[in-house]
């Protein structure tokens, strides 16, 4: 095997196990994750309006029709993408100082959001901006996305008030 073919061969999926064939469920989850990660990168770069399902499939290394097969249409893909972006941020937030509550957790969450590299922040900004301008179903999707963040921050503020870390 040449060095060139070694460098260009795809890395094994994190869910793959040596010597064991992946199940259909594992393959589907892997393809959905790759599609959503690609969609997040494209939205961060081009916005929702500039992204096409064909580009998402191509960037993920699949056929152009796989996105439509999994999600039906662009609107449903964007809804799934908003959930994926929210889950990506929630995972970052959970990793960083999960044992803390109140003001410390609130401040660490904000820092994690602003300082963690990755497409979730840029994709979030792009989707929020387009939702504000264009309205429609994207606005509803982003309203749901924003509500989950508001609930988290309100809870941390209530805890901080109760602990005397901040005053009203």
């Amino acid at each position: 095997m040449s060095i060139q073919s070694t460098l260009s061969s795809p890395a094994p999926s994190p869910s793959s196990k040596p010597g064991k064939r992946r199940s259909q469920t594992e393959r589907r989850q892997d393809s959905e994750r790759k599609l959503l990660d690609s969609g997040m990168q494209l939205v961060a770069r081009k916005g929702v309006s500039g992204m096409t399902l064909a580009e998402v499939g191509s960037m993920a290394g699949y056929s152009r029709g796989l996105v439509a097969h999994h999600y039906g249409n662009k609107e449903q893909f964007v809804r799934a993408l908003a959930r994926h972006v929210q889950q990506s941020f929630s995972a970052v937030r959970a990793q960083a100082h999960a044992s803390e509550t109140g003001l410390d957790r609130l401040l660490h969450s904000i820092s994690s959001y602003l300082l963690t590299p990755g497409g979730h922040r840029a994709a979030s900004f792009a989707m929020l901006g387009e939702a504000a301008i264009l309205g429609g179903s994207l606005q509803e999707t982003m309203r749901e996305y924003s509500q989950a963040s508001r609930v988290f921050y309100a809870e941390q503020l209530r805890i901080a008030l109760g602990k005397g870390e901040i005053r009203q």
Side-chain angles (χ1 to χ4, degrees):
M1 179 183 283
S2 72
I3 293 175
Q4 183 62 30
S5 64
T6 303
L7 293 175
S8 62
S9 61
S13 165
S15 62
S16 65
K17 298 171 183 89
K20 183 181 177 196
R21 183 184 163 124
R22 295 184 305 151
S23 69
Q24 177 63 30
T25 301
E26 289 172 321
R27 290 191 308 271
R28 180 181 179 92
Q29 289 171 343
D30 190 46
S31 66
E32 287 176 349
R33 180 188 50 77
K34 287 178 182 177
L35 291 170
L36 290 168
D37 286 344
S38 295
M40 187 166 55
Q41 290 175 27
L42 284 166
V43 166
R45 219 173 36 233
K46 300 173 76 173
V48 173
S49 301
M51 173 198 71
T52 68
L53 297 184
E55 287 175 308
V56 172
S58 178
M59 180 182 252
Y62 297 107
S63 70
R64 42 189 296 151
L66 190 64
V67 187
H69 173 75
H70 280 295
Y71 300 99
N73 58 39
K74 186 173 180 177
E75 182 177 331
Q76 292 304 311
F77 178 72
V78 170
R79 288 186 74 78
L81 184 59
R83 284 190 299 274
H84 180 67
V85 168
Q86 181 181 13
Q87 289 166 352
S88 296
F89 175 58
S90 293
V92 167
R93 187 168 56 202
Q95 275 183 327
H97 312 282
S99 62
E100 297 174 344
T101 59
L103 184 60
D104 286 339
R105 181 130 188 229
L106 184 66
L107 293 173
H108 285 119
S109 175
I110 293 168
S111 294
S112 295
Y113 181 75
L114 294 174
L115 301 176
T116 300
H120 65 272
R121 184 180 62 234
S124 175
F125 288 161
M127 288 190 288
L128 285 167
E130 285 191 49
I133 294 167
L134 303 175
S137 64
L138 181 58
Q139 191 171 54
E140 182 56 35
T141 298
M142 295 314 294
R143 185 176 292 125
E144 294 166 10
Y145 170 86
S146 296
Q147 179 61 25
S149 294
R150 283 193 301 274
V151 166
F152 170 80
Y153 291 121
E155 179 62 20
Q156 297 312 309
L157 285 170
R158 276 192 289 280
I159 291 169
L161 277 168
K163 290 167 74 175
E165 296 172 332
I166 58 174
R167 296 181 298 209
Q168 278 186 320

